[in-house]
Amino acid sequence: MNEFNLIDKYFVGKQNQRKDVLLPIGDDCAVVKAPDNAAIAISTDTLVAGTHFLADADPALVAHKALASNLSDLAAMGATPAWVSLALTLPDVNPSWLDAFTESFYELADYFSVQLIGGDTTKGPLSMTLTVQGFVPEQQPLTRRGAKVGDWIYVTGCLGDSKAGLEVILDSSKRSKSCARELEKKHYLTMPRILVGQALLPIASSAVDISDGLIADLSHILKGSNVGAQLDVDLLPVSKELTSYLADSELAKQYALSSGEEYELCFTVSEEHRGSLESALAHCGTTFTCIGQIRAGDKLELHSQGKAIDWQLDGFDHFEDNTL
Ligand code: ADP
Ligand code: MG
């Protein structure tokens, strides 16, 4: 199969055509049109085999993870996803891999009405680069820069599962541990919190998605907003699967603080807007938990039972150190 047959077979005409896509895959560029008064939020991420996923991982899970992690960046801005491009580098043409990859990719894309509008296909070590684009109100995207002293800090969902799932993926001897399979699945099958992000646009003062671990990502908000924070680790939401897998509730909290690739949202809300959160997020299908408060200064302090604690936590690593 040459490059053009491959593009026709796997990428052309696989989805419903959005009205704002004036020219889809097949020309030198795609041509799209944003709604009046909308700004466009754009984010790019690369996933490399051996760094972000194992080369022999289930292609359906890899496709989901690749698109979900990109869409999560749009969620963190409160954006409404619209278009995605996919640059795919493949070591060879493996039809069963491509079938499974593209089917899973379109399933998640269709769920959020995101259309694949272009990309590139090349030969080489397995990797993929996605660029997602979505709409945000011109004046009002959610950013990392708006947190104020006194704002409350929230997270969606449960934290820590992804780190445990990654351990199971990398060390098959851990498969026999309680809930190992569920956690492995959760590592791959996160759902970007698009609805939450949209609902937070008029309410939250800042937001970030948790890709590098709560501590690391909340620190981006603190730095961007010139503030500090106090977190109560006893409030951190952890799943019963994680608690069962680790059989140690303190360790579960530590996982919740450091686990990357969670793709939950961390956001801040002023006292004034706190009361409207419940109804604003009621239709979003996820829990949310207040875990602390923004403070003056620039420190991130951890507390438990009213006292400061000094946990030394590892940052988040991928399969191997991939920092440059
Ligand atoms: P060019 O050489 O002009 O860059 P290509 O031959 O690479 O064009 O691509 C032909 C068309 O197929 C373009 O519209 C491009 O966006 C699309 N395309 C190529 N690879 C992919 C892919 N992996 N996913 C989606 N669209 C793709
Ligand atoms: Mg090309």
Side-chain angles (χ1 to χ4, degrees):
M1 199 182 311
N2 70 27
E3 183 193 342
F4 299 108
N5 294 340
L6 190 152
I7 291 168
D8 276 347
K9 177 152 194 253
Y10 292 102
F11 301 119
V12 175
K14 295 291 176 187
Q15 292 181 280
N16 286 336
Q17 179 78 19
R18 287 176 60 103
K19 287 204 178 65
D20 54 16
V21 178
L22 308 181
L23 204 54
I25 291 174
D27 217 307
D28 289 315
C29 294
V31 179
V32 293
K33 186 164 182 359
D36 293 343
N37 302 322
I40 302 183
I42 307 171
S43 175
T44 297
D45 268 313
T46 296
L47 279 82
V48 178
T51 304
H52 303 92
F53 62 93
L54 294 178
D56 62 356
D58 180 342
L61 296 178
V62 172
H64 182 102
K65 179 173 169 172
L67 183 53
S69 62
N70 268 246
L71 290 174
S72 178
D73 286 316
L74 290 182
M77 306 298 289
T80 300
W83 314 307
V84 60
S85 334
L86 169 67
L88 196 54
T89 303
L90 300 168
D92 49 30
V93 177
N94 175 342
S96 67
W97 193 95
L98 275 162
D99 282 333
F101 181 88
T102 52
E103 189 182 320
S104 166
F105 187 92
Y106 294 130
E107 189 179 325
L108 183 61
D110 288 343
Y111 183 85
F112 288 110
S113 302
V114 175
Q115 186 175 338
L116 182 66
I117 55 166
D120 201 13
T121 308
T122 51
K123 191 176 165 75
L126 180 61
S127 79
M128 57 209 65
T129 296
L130 281 74
T131 299
V132 288
Q133 303 189 52
F135 309 137
V136 279
E138 249 171 85
Q139 308 302 333
Q140 202 196 9
L142 287 175
T143 69
R144 302 171 173 188
R145 297 191 307 213
K148 300 266 178 327
V149 173
D151 286 358
W152 299 97
I153 303 167
Y154 286 82
V155 289
T156 57
C158 289
L159 300 179
D161 291 351
S162 188
K163 182 179 170 83
L166 182 57
E167 275 178 15
V168 178
I169 291 164
L170 294 179
D171 179 355
S172 55
S173 73
K174 297 210 159 83
R175 290 225 168 121
S176 56
K177 291 181 74 166
S178 173
C179 296
R181 291 282 176 176
E182 288 94 323
L183 291 164
E184 189 177 345
K185 252 200 167 148
K186 282 190 177 187
H187 173 82
Y188 283 111
L189 294 179
T190 54
M191 266 317 237
R193 299 301 186 191
I194 296 292
L195 289 180
V196 176
Q198 291 167 336
L200 288 175
L201 271 173
I203 297 175
S205 51
S206 70
V208 71
D209 72 317
I210 303 177
S211 53
D212 296 328
L214 175 64
I215 299 260
D217 291 310
L218 175 59
S219 296
H220 295 317
I221 289 185
L222 302 185
K223 196 159 176 241
S225 306
N226 291 313
V227 291
Q230 184 174 311
L231 291 187
D232 183 345
V233 301
D234 303 318
L235 299 177
L236 289 167
V238 293
S239 69
K240 56 182 189 324
E241 288 86 358
L242 182 64
T243 310
S244 165
Y245 169 86
L246 293 172
D248 177 337
S249 61
E250 183 171 310
L251 191 56
K253 303 290 183 187
Q254 296 186 351
Y255 271 48
L257 289 168
S258 61
S259 177
E261 302 188 335
E262 291 284 336
Y263 304 119
E264 296 294 348
L265 296 185
C266 173
F267 57 95
T268 57
V269 176
S270 67
E271 176 69 28
E272 182 196 352
H273 283 114
R274 208 179 179 193
S276 39
L277 260 187
E278 193 79 42
S279 63
L281 300 190
H283 68 290
C284 296
T286 178
T287 54
F288 58 97
T289 311
C290 183
I291 56 168
Q293 197 172 21
I294 297 293
R295 294 286 160 94
D298 59 3
K299 297 222 164 23
L300 174 52
E301 285 185 7
L302 303 180
H303 280 232
S304 174
Q305 293 169 357
K307 288 200 207 86
I309 52 172
D310 183 21
W311 285 351
Q312 299 303 317
L313 297 167
D314 294 339
F316 174 68
D317 293 322
H318 293 283
F319 295 119
E320 55 198 45
D321 187 12
N322 64 344
T323 49
L324 290 175

